[in-house]
Amino acid sequence: MKPVYLDNNATTMSAPEVVAEMLPYLSEFYGNPSSMHSFGGRVGLRLKQARSDIAGTLGCQPDEIIFNSCGSEGDNTAILSALAAQPDKRHIVTTRVEHPAVLSLARHLEEKGYEVTYLGVDEKGRLDMAELGQAIRKDTAIVSIMYANNETGVIFPLPEIAALCKARGVLLHTDAVQAVGKIDIDLAKLPVSMLSLSGHKLHAPKGVGVLYVRKGTPFRPFLIGGHQERGRRAGTENAAGIIALAKAMTLAKEHMVAENTQVKALRDRLEAGILAAIPHSLVNGDTEHRLPNTSSIAFKFVEGEAILLMLDQYGICASSGSACTSGSLEPSHVLRAMGVPFTYAHGSIRFSLSRYTTDAEIDLVLEKLPGIIETLRRMSPFRDEEAAKPACTC
Amino acid sequence: MWEYTDKVRDHFLNPRNVGSLDDANAVGEVGSLACGDALKLFLKINDAGVIEDARFQTFGCASAIASSSVLTELLKGKTIEEARALTNKDIADDLGGLPKEKMHCSVMGQEALEAALADYLGEKAPAHEPEGELVCKCFGVYDGQIRRAIRENKLTTVEEVTDFTKAGGGCGDCLEKLAGILAEELGQAAAKPLVELQVKRPMTNLERVKLVTKIMEEEIRPALKKDGGDIELVDIDGTTVFVSLRGACKGCPSSNLTLTEFVQKRLQELVEPGITVKEAK
């Protein structure tokens, strides 16, 4: 059974064009790009081209690109570099809704004696810019704020945040793993100091990413060894992965309009269909400023893992902010930061589409989901209690 | 992805005995929406003390639903005495096992059963109600529940206690308390299991800091004070503990010996073998 894949914020299918582009570099052209011989050298030249293509899609210079292995590496490198380069500054500003790559690192740094300010969000998952302004101090080494949230798709106002950080003279890193490829980002106009992105979220394979470091930003490497990436990230280049990433980013640029029209239309149809067919359901997050492919929907009285497993029966892949799916016992930190009530948080499902999502797939979800929720609600001890109460008009 | 047995999948996708029972004469309710799972068990017990019918309503994941479903199957036809003897292990075994992180679902079944039987017998305090002090504030788990889970399932690590009772799965503040309870149940001295805990799983920095601070305050400082000395904890960097000697210890010719032979040795015994103690400059 071909999966109905609506979990593209977790990972994506490598585009066929991307796979075709990278394959020769896994077989025929296996030379080391750093070698003196022309067999390796030709790989080096191809990497140079890839670097330049990627810089072109982001609006930056090729030498501002550092290739690495994943988004988590970019996040870690950016924050640790800022601290290492400014040893007198021991304060970090971030948000409560970041990816664990940033949050777990921040907590680890707190244990090491650094101070961290975690900015809260409102019920729609939005930041308070005034709070950010107040949080920045003289000893703030770096502000790290995600571009778009992986669970809700809520987009933070990065242009505003970047302008503020620039004015206050503080480094800004953005985890743009969910944003790159889905919304247009032009680093020529967006004054962030550093930006992390990951290949497998935009139809390149897993194991390749980029940390963008703006020229003039103090930098200390995370991985020390060889001279690769001009000494900023040691390790023989993932040549095939980098070539794949360049192709994927070029394709994403070409599909940017479609992503924000066709994919968005499918997402909106899915969302509207679900809300219309299923009572006691609501959308998590700010629908005004949201990725075009993401929809996080909460279903009252039921639990997320149970919904996912029933969807799985039909080959439908989605994900959940529920505690039971993560192995932890608490529901998603993002939904909790937004103050989503427990009655909804435990039953939240995230659908994330891609340009490969079809109308038929959306139809299948709309056909199966209402029955699944109804089945689970019939089992739930809470529905009877709620039904007994007068309907809420709010 | 969780690895569920075919029987778990079957009872989740085709649950038996779902719904309420209008003529139930024993109802047990445990869990809450906030906790992420809840179970309401309805029993109809006849005059001979035999369970004639059993139904359930469950909010929770697949294993919670499957545990409730097999529980109702297991209960039908049993006498009250037989039902009393049923444990969470029986529920899990009947399902062909549960992932260890999901064992608390079977415990929830057992607790609902106890609550229902208590309800039938008109006992005031159902079995799942506060027994001893509240240990885990996040999930409302009491001392009595934890001890029973340890005994009935022969638990040996704090991690297992969390898997079975959910205690300690939230903020983690009660982990030390759990280690203490576990130690008592296993019949060991209170300080020892803390060492055992870290054998099972590497100690986090936070745990190390808390434990070092505690031992400094409760044991090391009082001992030095007896000799007119004192010590201050300055910093902890990884496994290196920086201290500053005060009072009579300061400048004492045997202060080095005090640091290595007493302070460091004690911390190595009680916290972690790899601890080194240095005097802060």
Side-chain angles (χ1 to χ4, degrees):
Chain A
M1 182 163 52
K2 189 173 176 284
V4 174
Y5 192 75
L6 300 176
D7 201 12
N8 286 280
N9 286 10
T11 194
T12 59
M13 177 183 93
S14 291
E17 304 94 313
V18 168
V19 175
E21 196 79 24
M22 76 185 286
L23 276 182
Y25 294 88
L26 291 173
S27 51
E28 205 180 335
F29 307 123
Y30 55 83
N32 189 319
S34 302
S35 295
M36 281 311 294
H37 45 71
S38 56
F39 180 62
R42 67 173 294 168
V43 181
L45 282 175
R46 183 67 186 80
L47 289 191
K48 200 174 167 191
Q49 179 62 44
R51 189 185 301 277
S52 153
D53 290 348
I54 291 171
T57 65
L58 288 172
C60 67
Q61 300 303 312
D63 58 4
E64 293 176 317
I65 301 272
I66 301 175
F67 289 117
N68 59 21
S69 66
C70 61
S72 296
E73 187 188 331
D75 291 343
N76 272 260
T77 306
I79 293 170
L80 293 173
S81 162
L83 294 174
Q86 310 166 96
D88 50 322
K89 298 185 174 179
R90 298 183 63 85
H91 177 238
I92 300 159
V93 177
T94 186
T95 79
R96 286 180 60 194
V97 298
E98 296 297 309
H99 187 273
V102 170
L103 275 186
S104 301
L105 174 65
R107 277 194 288 267
H108 172 77
L109 289 167
E110 274 185 293
E111 286 164 15
K112 293 259 177 202
Y114 291 93
E115 246 190 279
V116 181
T117 302
Y118 299 93
L119 302 172
V121 293
D122 68 8
E123 76 288 352
K124 297 233 176 234
R126 294 173 298 204
L127 280 178
D128 178 351
M129 290 299 291
E131 198 187 333
L132 169 61
Q134 285 156 14
I136 297 171
R137 316 189 309 214
K138 270 200 185 109
D139 65 336
T140 303
I142 188 165
V143 174
S144 184
I145 294 181
M146 68 198 328
Y147 210 120
N149 189 272
N150 47 313
E151 290 190 29
T152 59
V154 170
I155 298 170
F156 283 148
L158 254 292
E160 247 180 278
I161 294 167
L164 176 67
C165 290
K166 194 179 175 189
R168 302 284 294 273
V170 59
L171 296 181
L172 169 65
H173 164 253
T174 184
D175 175 340
V177 162
Q178 294 294 345
V180 174
K182 295 173 194 152
I183 52 176
D184 220 357
I185 294 174
D186 183 0
L187 288 168
K189 292 182 187 143
L190 182 73
V192 297
S193 320
M194 292 182 272
L195 173 147
S196 301
L197 69 90
S198 174
H200 76 102
K201 307 284 191 190
L202 46 97
H203 303 293
K206 293 151 193 73
V208 64
V210 162
L211 175 65
Y212 156 83
V213 180
R214 184 175 297 275
K215 226 172 248 173
T217 305
F219 186 81
R220 299 289 181 274
F222 181 55
L223 209 52
I224 294 164
H227 57 88
Q228 295 88 353
E229 302 300 302
R230 301 198 297 133
R232 294 172 301 174
R233 201 272 191 184
T236 300
E237 299 86 343
N238 173 6
I242 291 167
I243 290 160
L245 178 63
K247 182 69 182 175
M249 290 188 67
T250 309
L251 287 171
K253 194 95 181 165
E254 287 168 21
H255 287 94
M256 193 60 77
V257 173
E259 184 82 27
N260 287 277
T261 52
Q262 291 162 22
V263 177
K264 182 174 181 296
L266 280 176
R267 188 275 314 267
D268 290 345
R269 183 162 82 80
L270 174 71
E271 197 168 270
I274 289 172
L275 294 178
I278 303 174
H280 299 295
S281 58
L282 54 84
V283 175
N284 294 316
D286 180 9
T287 51
E288 297 273 306
H289 304 97
R290 193 167 52 145
L291 294 175
N293 78 319
T294 308
S295 176
S296 168
I297 306 185
F299 302 98
K300 214 173 173 182
F301 315 123
V302 289
E303 198 282 324
E305 185 208 277
I307 304 172
L308 288 184
L309 288 182
M310 289 205 169
L311 285 170
D312 191 51
Q313 290 294 106
Y314 304 107
I316 299 168
C317 309
S319 83
S320 148
S322 116
C324 292
T325 52
S326 59
S328 93
L329 294 166
E330 299 243 344
S332 139
H333 69 283
V334 175
L335 301 181
R336 282 172 66 222
M338 289 160 61
V340 173
F342 277 118
T343 44
Y344 281 104
H346 283 293
S348 286
I349 298 291
R350 177 190 71 189
F351 296 101
S352 47
L353 288 61
S354 79
R355 59 176 187 262
Y356 296 104
T357 306
T358 64
D359 264 306
E361 291 176 321
I362 300 301
D363 289 339
L364 184 75
V365 177
L366 290 176
E367 180 195 326
K368 299 297 182 191
L369 189 61
I372 290 172
I373 302 294
E374 183 49 31
T375 302
L376 290 170
R377 281 183 179 167
R378 247 185 275 131
M379 272 187 239
S380 171
F382 297 113
R383 198 181 54 172
D384 293 349
E385 290 170 24
E386 191 68 19
K389 288 181 201 163
C392 175
T393 51
C394 53
Chain B
M1 212 186 104
W2 298 111
E3 285 176 27
Y4 287 133
T5 62
D6 288 344
K7 190 155 181 190
V8 172
R9 295 189 77 87
D10 175 37
H11 275 265
F12 164 60
L13 293 170
N14 312 293
R16 282 49 147 191
N17 311 310
V18 175
S20 58
L21 201 56
D22 288 340
D23 53 350
N25 51 7
V27 180
E29 206 172 349
V30 291
S32 74
L33 266 174
C35 293
D37 41 26
L39 164 57
K40 199 168 180 180
L41 182 68
F42 302 84
L43 302 178
K44 191 187 168 195
I45 304 174
N46 66 17
D47 294 341
V50 174
I51 297 169
E52 275 189 354
D53 203 357
R55 300 269 181 93
F56 78 91
Q57 289 180 326
T58 291
F59 161 78
C61 56
S63 53
I65 291 168
S67 294
S68 312
S69 172
V70 294
L71 173 64
T72 56
E73 295 252 284
L74 286 170
L75 286 175
K76 281 190 193 179
K78 278 206 167 50
T79 64
I80 293 176
E81 284 318 303
E82 287 167 340
R84 260 187 198 287
L86 208 74
T87 68
N88 74 288
K89 211 172 159 296
D90 297 322
I91 298 172
D93 288 349
D94 196 70
L95 285 166
L98 283 171
K100 65 180 177 62
E101 295 87 348
K102 297 287 189 175
M103 285 302 288
H104 62 85
C105 295
S106 65
V107 174
M108 184 169 76
Q110 182 189 11
E111 288 177 356
L113 169 62
E114 281 170 2
L117 294 177
D119 176 46
Y120 176 74
L121 298 170
E123 289 169 11
K124 274 196 175 146
H128 71 279
E129 281 287 295
E131 250 179 85
E133 73 169 311
L134 178 65
V135 177
C136 171
K137 293 192 182 82
C138 296
F139 293 107
V141 190
Y142 286 82
D143 185 84
Q145 289 166 279
I146 294 164
R147 287 179 192 277
R148 201 183 49 189
I150 293 171
R151 272 177 234 149
E152 290 182 355
N153 297 287
K154 299 189 173 58
L155 307 183
T156 57
T157 66
V158 172
E159 218 174 24
E160 284 175 348
V161 173
T162 303
D163 290 339
F164 278 71
T165 64
K166 299 177 89 168
C171 68
D173 273 357
C174 64
L175 287 173
E176 210 170 305
K177 235 184 228 170
L178 291 178
I181 295 173
L182 188 64
E184 282 175 36
E185 286 299 319
L186 297 177
Q188 294 163 336
K192 216 175 154 198
L194 288 173
V195 180
E196 275 206 357
L197 163 69
Q198 104 235 347
V199 174
K200 301 281 191 279
R201 142 178 103 78
M203 206 174 235
T204 67
N205 274 323
L206 194 63
E207 284 167 349
R208 191 182 297 120
V209 169
K210 276 187 178 165
L211 196 54
V212 167
T213 314
K214 188 171 173 248
I215 290 161
M216 290 289 282
E217 282 305 313
E218 289 176 7
E219 182 173 336
I220 293 171
R221 288 190 66 199
L224 294 184
K225 275 180 179 169
K226 269 191 216 154
D227 296 330
D230 199 358
I231 192 167
E232 191 194 346
L233 179 60
V234 178
D235 195 8
I236 300 173
D237 183 8
T239 53
T240 310
V241 177
F242 293 94
V243 296
S244 168
L245 290 166
R246 294 285 152 87
C249 293
K250 203 170 179 185
C252 165
S254 57
S255 66
N256 254 338
L257 218 59
T258 307
L259 279 188
T260 56
E261 285 307 301
F262 175 61
V263 183
Q264 177 170 300
K265 210 170 162 193
R266 207 65 195 122
L267 289 176
Q268 284 175 347
E269 281 167 13
L270 294 175
V271 185
E272 233 173 348
I275 295 248
T276 50
V277 175
K278 286 186 181 164
E279 197 168 358
K281 292 276 179 299

